[in-house]
Amino acid sequence: MKPEEQAFVKKIEGLEENNLLRQYFTSERLQGAYVNINCKKLISFGCNDYFGLSNHPEIIEAAIKATKKYGAGAGASRLITGNNPLYSALEKEISKVKNTEDAAVFGSGYLANIGVISSLADREDLIISDKLVHACIIDGAKLSGAKFLRFNHNEPSSLESILKKNRKKYKKCLIITETIFSMDGDVAPLKAIKKLADEYKAFLVVDDAHSIDFTKKCEKGIIYIGTFSKALGSYGGYVAASKSIIKYIKTASRSIMFSTALPPAVLAANLKALEIARDKKLTEKVLRNAEIFTDKLGLKKAESAIVPVIVKTNEKALKISLELQKVGFYVPAIRPPTVPVGTSRLRFSFSAIHKEQDIVKSALLLKALI
Ligand SMILES: *Cc1c(COP(=O)(O)O)cnc(C)c1O
């Protein structure tokens, strides 16, 4: 080992002591909600595949067909090699779903967030986000060089006081929040936030990554960022907004310009997934499954596919996750910096493909462990 590497060894030891070391493990996703971990078949509550579309036969077929026709890879970035014809079809579809004039597809939701945010704001601007937004929004804000402030989670009054005090000092202003929060599963008060954005002449950017409703009419005048990697079951990200914003993003956003285009199979899978995901029954089934769980545990009624069970300490979260694994369930332990210190949790993600008896069983087992 180079002596300089000692610094990292020390860091790793520190993380280990605090139950914060991240360890990657092998898991093989199987049909249904099953996953194979350490040669053991478990029911997984650790997946954002809310509709079970990653294993949908028609989507797999569409991906195979596109691979046979166009090959496994895109060859270069979209600007260099040109757009595969599936790109314009997908961008048209996503703008239709989001009720916007246009859309741009990115390599992933992470790339969409860092690319969009850093191209829409610069040093003279102000970005205000909810305190609990996803890491990629924070990274995008940092990349932009704009002044970055955060308001209390889901509190429009906190946003308003920041706007009142700071808006005038900056040129543009971006307000950023999530429709459904990724680690809490709660829903943002979008109407009140949009009202403030309009009042203070700010852009409202909303990360809709955990959306499970592809039929809902989206609010006009919002810049939507999302992903194809969760309910839509495959991979990739997007931004949907007005024509001029999309035109600007496509010529200014570095993460779309300087990264290789998505493989044709992924574009075809996403197109097919958007078609299937417009079935309202899928949305209802996911919510019903999440509600079965919150009912059994006496928790606040689920508002989305995500239900956190907060146990506070890292140690307890890890221990319960391991205990659940022993009895046949995979539920990830979520720790800082993904969530604030002292709010470590088990994060349950529900899918339309979970069975009622499995959800009930997991709830009863969990009850005995917390
Ligand atoms: C998962 C997630 C992303 C990142 O999307 P990927 O497609 O996985 O890169 C962005 N924002 C939020 C809120 C997320 O939960």
Side-chain angles (χ1 to χ4, degrees), residues 48 50 106-113 132-137 177-183 207-210 225-230 234-238 306 347:
N48 302 319
Y50 301 128
F106 280 71
S108 71
Y110 184 94
L111 290 171
N113 270 290
L132 295 188
V133 292
H134 193 268
C136 62
I137 294 172
T177 190
E178 295 177 16
T179 43
I180 294 163
F181 281 82
S182 60
M183 294 301 143
D207 186 341
D208 204 16
H210 292 277
I225 297 178
T227 177
F228 296 103
S229 337
K230 285 164 183 164
S234 176
Y235 197 67
Y238 64 81
I306 304 158
R347 177 181 183 269

Side-chain angles (χ1 to χ4, degrees), residues 140-152:
K142 282 186 187 164
L143 260 181
S144 74
K147 175 75 179 173
F148 181 35
L149 301 170
R150 300 202 282 175
F151 61 94
N152 293 340

Side-chain angles (χ1 to χ4, degrees), residues 74-359:
S77 74
R78 297 177 58 179
L79 279 173
I80 298 293
T81 194
N83 287 320
N84 181 290
L86 295 168
Y87 261 110
S88 57
L90 186 58
E91 287 175 341
K92 206 162 151 193
E93 253 338 272
I94 203 71
S95 63
K96 217 192 266 171
V97 169
K98 290 288 153 192
N99 195 26
T100 56
E101 288 173 2
D102 206 353
V105 170
F106 280 71
S108 71
Y110 184 94
L111 290 171
N113 270 290
I114 60 167
V116 169
I117 296 166
S118 64
S119 63
L120 294 183
D122 60 37
R123 273 173 223 299
E124 298 178 315
D125 301 329
L126 172 64
I127 295 177
I128 314 172
S129 85
D130 187 285
K131 268 194 180 145
L132 295 188
V133 292
H134 193 268
C136 62
I137 294 172
I138 297 167
D139 294 351
K142 282 186 187 164
L143 260 181
S144 74
K147 175 75 179 173
F148 181 35
L149 301 170
R150 300 202 282 175
F151 61 94
N152 293 340
H153 178 53
N154 278 350
E155 275 181 33
S157 60
S158 163
L159 168 62
E160 186 167 22
S161 69
I162 293 176
L163 280 164
K164 227 179 229 160
K165 213 158 125 198
N166 300 279
R167 175 67 187 96
K168 274 204 213 95
K169 294 185 249 170
Y170 300 91
K171 283 195 170 160
K172 281 184 262 102
C173 175
L174 257 56
I175 296 169
I176 312 180
T177 190
E178 295 177 16
T179 43
I180 294 163
F181 281 82
S182 60
M183 294 301 143
D184 293 80
D186 53 352
V187 172
L190 267 198
K191 278 215 160 68
I193 293 175
K194 176 69 168 52
K195 200 163 153 254
L196 286 171
D198 291 342
E199 197 179 319
Y200 284 86
K201 299 196 183 342
F203 292 96
L204 177 55
V205 181
V206 167
D207 186 341
D208 204 16
H210 292 277
S211 172
I212 49 167
D213 191 348
F214 296 87
T215 58
K216 193 175 59 189
K217 270 260 172 272
C218 290
E219 291 259 351
K220 283 262 175 225
I222 295 180
I223 299 168
Y224 282 95
I225 297 178
T227 177
F228 296 103
S229 337
K230 285 164 183 164
L232 294 166
S234 176
Y235 197 67
Y238 64 81
V239 53
S242 70
K243 268 200 162 58
S244 52
I245 297 261
I246 296 299
K247 195 165 183 181
Y248 181 71
I249 285 170
K250 281 186 162 174
T251 197
S253 176
R254 295 165 71 86
S255 61
I256 196 172
M257 295 161 75
F258 300 111
S259 186
T260 299
L262 283 168
V266 171
L267 300 172
N270 292 341
L271 262 170
K272 185 50 94 179
L274 274 178
E275 203 182 301
I276 297 168
R278 278 181 175 135
D279 180 356
K280 190 91 186 175
K281 282 199 207 87
L282 287 167
T283 311
E284 288 161 1
K285 185 80 200 300
V286 179
L287 277 177
R288 204 172 329 122
N289 279 347
E291 283 167 16
I292 291 169
F293 182 80
T294 50
D295 273 2
K296 274 277 167 271
L297 282 174
L299 299 170
K300 194 168 128 266
K301 193 171 139 130
E303 294 177 86
S304 68
I306 304 158
V307 178
V309 178
I310 296 174
V311 296
K312 296 186 185 153
T313 68
N314 306 333
E315 200 183 356
K316 193 164 179 194
L318 284 174
K319 187 161 171 271
I320 295 176
S321 175
L322 257 176
E323 292 294 327
L324 285 171
Q325 238 181 81
K326 282 186 205 154
V327 289
F329 295 95
Y330 175 65
V331 187
I334 309 286
R335 295 160 285 161
T338 312
V339 292
V341 174
T343 70
S344 285
R345 64 197 67 187
L346 281 307
R347 177 181 183 269
F348 283 78
S349 301
F350 293 94
S351 170
I353 57 174
H354 281 125
K355 294 196 194 99
E356 177 166 356
Q357 72 256 35
D358 294 333
I359 298 167

